[in-house]
Structures are given as C-alpha cells and as structure tokens.
Amino acid sequence: MGGFRDKVSRWMYGRYGSDQLNKCVMVFTIAFMVISLFTRLTVFYWLALAGLILMYFRMLSKNIYKRSAENTKYLKATAGIRRSFARMKSRSQDKSHCYFKCPSCKQTVRVPRGKGKISITCPKCSTEFVKKT
C-alpha cells in the first residue's frame, strides 16, 4: 500500500491541492447532490456535477499562482462572514462573561457572569444601563 501512496504523492507534486474555496465548493456540491436526490430535479444534478468538475480542476491544476489568487479573492469576499462566525463561537465558549449591547450606541460590552443585577457603563458613550448577569 505504501507504493501506491508514493506514486500518488509523486503524481500530485507540483499541483495545487485543496484550499478553503475547494471546501466551500465541496459543501455546495454535496448540498446540490442531496437536493437532487430528494427533488429529482436535474438542475441540481448538473450543478453538483459542475461543482465536482470545478473541484477536481482546481485540485489538479499546476497553475498554482492563479488558484492561489482565486482563493485569496474568496477569503477577502467572505472575511466578514467568517469573522462574525468566529466571534459567535468564541462568545459561546466563554463561560465566565456575558455580552450585552449598549442601547444607545450598540457597542458590545463584556461583563463578568454571575454578579446578579449590575449597572453597566458603556466605555464608548458612557451610557449607564442595568442588566442581570
């Protein structure tokens, strides 16, 4: 089995491989496949097939510069969405703090959890509001 792995490794040398854009295309391809299974619409089948072709084209491409530029454009376009998901994930994992929005300026304020009813002063606009932690 090691010989086959070495042959594949040598064949893939100098090719682009997988990146974040390929992962996104893979998710959409799988979604289109599942939709086409349940709805029997051929449009989703063809979209899934196009996604597979695009994925393999990008993975096996030897034009690394262009594939890297495509991935960079994708990362720039989705930076805000990815940042908001990362922020939501870190807040859900933070068990020692609560997060509140200031009612006047919408600034997010982090306060310790478990202190009861407290008066929170916004650091941005100095508005005071009372919340239960």
Side-chain angles (χ1 to χ4, degrees):
M1 194 67 170
F4 178 72
R5 191 176 305 155
D6 290 340
K7 287 179 184 178
V8 170
S9 178
R10 270 185 264 123
W11 182 68
M12 284 297 290
Y13 184 78
R15 299 186 190 271
Y16 186 64
S18 187
D19 59 3
Q20 292 87 352
L21 179 56
N22 261 13
K23 289 177 187 176
C24 179
V25 171
M26 181 176 45
V27 167
F28 279 106
T29 300
I30 292 171
F32 289 146
M33 283 181 186
V34 170
I35 292 171
S36 75
L37 280 174
F38 288 116
T39 62
R40 301 283 186 194
L41 294 174
T42 58
V43 172
F44 292 110
Y45 170 77
W46 290 110
L47 286 172
L49 189 62
L52 279 173
I53 291 169
L54 178 65
M55 255 180 12
Y56 282 113
F57 170 75
R58 292 191 80 251
M59 269 196 284
L60 301 176
S61 175
K62 287 191 173 185
N63 195 344
I64 294 172
Y65 177 75
K66 279 191 178 180
R67 302 295 88 82
S68 179
E70 291 168 357
N71 190 47
T72 303
K73 285 181 187 177
Y74 165 74
L75 291 176
K76 283 183 182 178
T78 60
I81 296 168
R82 288 182 295 110
R83 193 177 313 117
S84 65
F85 277 116
R87 189 180 307 123
M88 286 183 349
K89 181 180 177 184
S90 68
R91 285 183 187 175
S92 69
Q93 291 176 344
D94 188 7
K95 301 298 180 193
S96 60
H97 294 92
C98 291
Y99 294 88
F100 297 107
K101 282 200 183 270
C102 174
S104 61
C105 70
K106 308 300 183 215
Q107 172 74 30
T108 303
V109 182
R110 186 179 84 149
V111 295
R113 188 181 296 266
K115 298 293 182 183
K117 201 175 223 184
I118 60 171
S119 176
I120 302 167
T121 304
C122 177
K124 189 175 180 183
C125 66
S126 300
T127 303
E128 283 196 27
F129 54 99
V130 177
K131 293 285 185 177
K132 183 181 177 187
T133 59

